[in-house]
Amino acid sequence: MLKSQTKPSTIWLILMALSLFSTFVAEGSKHALYAICAIFIIAALKGDLVIIHYMEVRHAAPHWRFIYRSWLGVMVVLLIAGHVIG
């Protein structure tokens, strides 16, 4: 995603921009289902940034990064599916 030596302040700005974008999506969307799916995906992107950059997983073995990212992906799929079905 981003190079591994990105400054924490840059990551923070990206997280803030994604938060604002998800707010605009939530407030401006006429289709609630699409908005919710987009918000879950944005939340997963934010979670990935936090895990990789702030929790220092970028220095971990590649299989750990795969496990964390897979977990995020599965959670997003489950949340979307739960919302669509429920």
Side-chain angles (χ1 to χ4, degrees), residues 34-54:
Y34 296 140
I36 289 168
C37 292
I39 291 167
F40 284 149
I41 292 168
I42 292 167
L45 291 172
K46 290 169 54 178
D48 184 63
L49 285 172
V50 169
I51 288 170
I52 298 299
H53 293 283
Y54 289 125

Side-chain angles (χ1 to χ4, degrees), residues 19-41:
S19 295
L20 287 173
F21 181 66
S22 64
T23 302
F24 289 130
V25 168
E27 295 294 325
S29 178
K30 295 180 193 232
H31 302 287
L33 181 61
Y34 296 140
I36 289 168
C37 292
I39 291 167
F40 284 149
I41 292 168

Side-chain angles (χ1 to χ4, degrees), residues 43-71:
L45 291 172
K46 290 169 54 178
D48 184 63
L49 285 172
V50 169
I51 288 170
I52 298 299
H53 293 283
Y54 289 125
M55 295 175 67
E56 301 291 334
V57 173
R58 69 178 174 263
H59 300 298
H63 68 276
W64 284 110
R65 288 191 297 272
F66 174 77
I67 289 170
Y68 290 134
R69 286 180 168 157
S70 297
W71 179 81

Side-chain angles (χ1 to χ4, degrees), residues 2-24:
L2 296 171
K3 66 181 184 175
S4 64
Q5 297 302 322
T6 306
K7 291 183 180 181
S9 58
T10 304
I11 301 301
W12 182 82
L13 287 172
I14 293 169
L15 290 169
M16 291 297 101
L18 287 171
S19 295
L20 287 173
F21 181 66
S22 64
T23 302
F24 289 130

